[in-house]
Amino acid sequence: MMYAIGGMVLVLALVTLLSTVEIVQAYEQRALTVLGSYRGLLDPGIHLIPPFVSRTYRFDRRVQTIDVPIQEAITRDNSPVTADAVVYIRVVDAERSFLNVEDYRRATALLAQTSLRAVIGDMELDETLSRRDEINRRIRTNLQGPTDEWGVDVEMVEVKEVLPTQGVLDAMEEQTSAERRRRAMILEAQGERRAAVETAEGERTANVLSAQGEKVASVLEAQGDAISTVLRARAAESMGERAIVDKGMETLAAIGQGESTTFVIPQELTSLLGRYGEQLSGSDVQDSAALDSLEFDDDERELLGLDSVAEMLEPEAQNGAEADPEWESTYEAE
């Protein structure tokens, strides 16, 4: 009997000791109440508290995540969507979290749900799909005021997904397809227009070059005819003079065979003989220009326009080269 009583006293002393010692971890704080009365916060470490009449409430000081369930909302342009988010919070004042709110995690999650629906309802569909940062910022702003009273700091809010309903998705897909078809038609029309412009410019350039070529060919043909005419005239003149000289030589030979020692030679014949003085034996006539020379003097070159042919062709080529840039297409695709 004595052993039983001693064992019970030992067990009671052990339980009392255990209820008296409170160990607080480094990442938490605990609120202490004695007989229902708030007595303060217990910081990390070992604490002795009144046994059996004390109670502690644990508050984790690390960043905590709250998963906001999927919410259905209607945008400002009456498009139904579904969205969910994640909220990152940290307890910065355990006393207010203990005294001002029953369950700060549940309260923050419910407030995040209502804020998510409110923010999406105040935006159009396109904004909800493209402006995630704006949604995150507005939700965090809505949460920050009330959670400050609860001793909770909202570190960050991230919207995970915003999805329109299937009907809205089908309509968006049809709209996107129509927009792509419209752009394809515009690009095709622009390509055809540019091709037509380039073709017209090419034909115009070809016509101009062809006309210039025909003009140059006509000029050269006319110049050739003129030169050929002059050369034929010179050849005829040269052949006539040669015939006269030959005839004169025959006459002189016939006169030389006669008995008379006095000869009368016409001046025209002596002039012709002077041109061929080199062919006469013992003649003291100086060298002169050949009768059949094909060179033209200045008056003849000016009359035939020989010197202006190159000058005429060169400006034509330059004009054609300068005109090419003007014929380049200035069209640019929109």
Side-chain angles (χ1 to χ4, degrees):
M1 187 66 178
M2 293 295 295
Y3 290 107
I5 295 174
M8 293 179 60
V9 171
L10 181 60
V11 171
L12 180 61
L14 182 60
V15 172
T16 302
L17 180 61
L18 292 176
S19 63
T20 302
V21 178
E22 187 75 18
I23 300 176
V24 181
Q25 300 296 327
Y27 53 83
E28 66 183 11
Q29 282 184 320
R30 297 190 181 185
L32 174 64
T33 60
V34 178
L35 297 175
S37 175
Y38 175 71
R39 295 297 179 87
L41 297 174
L42 301 179
D43 293 325
I46 298 177
H47 300 271
L48 297 177
I49 60 175
F52 305 117
V53 294
S54 300
R55 186 176 179 183
T56 58
Y57 300 86
R58 177 177 175 271
F59 291 92
D60 197 328
R61 299 294 301 273
R62 294 174 296 184
V63 174
Q64 305 173 50
T65 59
I66 299 177
D67 191 5
V68 180
I70 295 177
Q71 302 295 309
E72 294 183 357
I74 298 178
T75 61
R76 188 169 58 186
D77 52 353
N78 297 323
S79 297
V81 297
T82 59
D84 57 351
V86 177
V87 181
Y88 299 86
I89 64 173
R90 182 197 299 271
V91 176
V92 294
D93 191 338
E95 181 176 353
R96 284 189 292 177
S97 298
F98 176 67
L99 298 176
N100 296 345
V101 63
E102 179 183 1
D103 186 348
Y104 67 90
R105 287 181 57 88
R106 183 171 180 272
T108 303
L110 294 176
L111 183 60
Q113 294 178 24
T114 58
S115 297
L116 177 61
R117 290 196 298 267
V119 170
I120 290 178
D122 196 36
M123 302 175 69
E124 295 185 356
L125 178 61
D126 293 339
E127 295 177 340
T128 61
L129 299 177
S130 61
R131 300 176 60 182
R132 297 288 183 88
D133 293 340
E134 178 67 15
I135 297 176
N136 297 337
R137 185 190 63 80
R138 293 177 62 177
I139 294 176
R140 185 171 183 271
T141 301
N142 293 341
L143 294 178
Q144 198 65 55
T147 55
D148 285 343
E149 297 295 328
W150 304 336
V152 176
D153 181 41
V154 179
E155 297 283 337
M156 185 170 51
V157 177
E158 287 293 333
V159 175
K160 293 194 296 185
E161 193 173 33
V162 177
L163 287 178
T165 59
Q166 188 60 42
V168 176
L169 288 175
D170 294 340
M172 292 174 62
E173 185 177 357
E174 293 179 359
Q175 180 181 3
T176 303
S177 299
E179 180 66 19
R180 290 178 178 174
R181 288 194 299 270
R182 183 184 70 85
R183 293 181 180 180
M185 294 175 63
I186 291 175
L187 292 176
E188 183 178 0
Q190 290 175 348
E192 293 177 355
R193 177 185 175 185
R194 183 168 185 176
V197 171
E198 295 292 340
T199 301
E201 289 181 353
E203 292 178 354
R204 183 174 64 177
T205 303
N207 293 335
V208 171
L209 294 178
S210 177
Q212 290 178 347
E214 293 177 358
K215 177 181 177 181
V216 173
S218 301
V219 172
L220 294 178
E221 183 179 0
Q223 294 287 346
D225 292 341
I227 294 173
S228 176
T229 301
V230 172
L231 293 178
R232 286 196 298 269
R234 282 199 173 191
E237 180 182 359
S238 176
M239 292 177 64
E241 291 181 354
R242 288 178 183 274
I244 294 173
V245 172
D246 292 339
K247 191 65 176 177
M249 295 296 292
E250 293 176 0
T251 303
L252 290 176
I255 292 174
Q257 294 176 1
E259 297 179 354
S260 176
T261 60
T262 302
F263 305 100
V264 179
I265 300 176
Q267 183 177 0
E268 292 77 5
L269 182 59
T270 61
S271 175
L272 292 174
L273 290 175
R275 298 185 182 182
Y276 297 92
E278 295 179 352
Q279 302 177 4
L280 300 177
S281 60
S283 175
D284 58 353
V285 179
Q286 301 296 325
D287 294 340
S288 61
L291 180 64
D292 55 353
S293 174
L294 298 181
E295 296 182 357
F296 300 100
D297 55 22
D298 294 340
D299 294 337
E300 291 174 341
R301 294 183 67 87
E302 182 179 359
L303 178 62
L304 295 176
L306 297 178
D307 296 333
S308 63
V309 173
E311 297 177 357
M312 177 187 65
L313 295 178
E314 183 177 357
E316 292 292 342
Q318 293 178 353
N319 293 337
E322 294 176 355
D324 288 342
E326 298 178 358
W327 298 332
E328 292 182 358
S329 175
T330 58
Y331 173 78
E332 296 181 359
E334 299 178 358

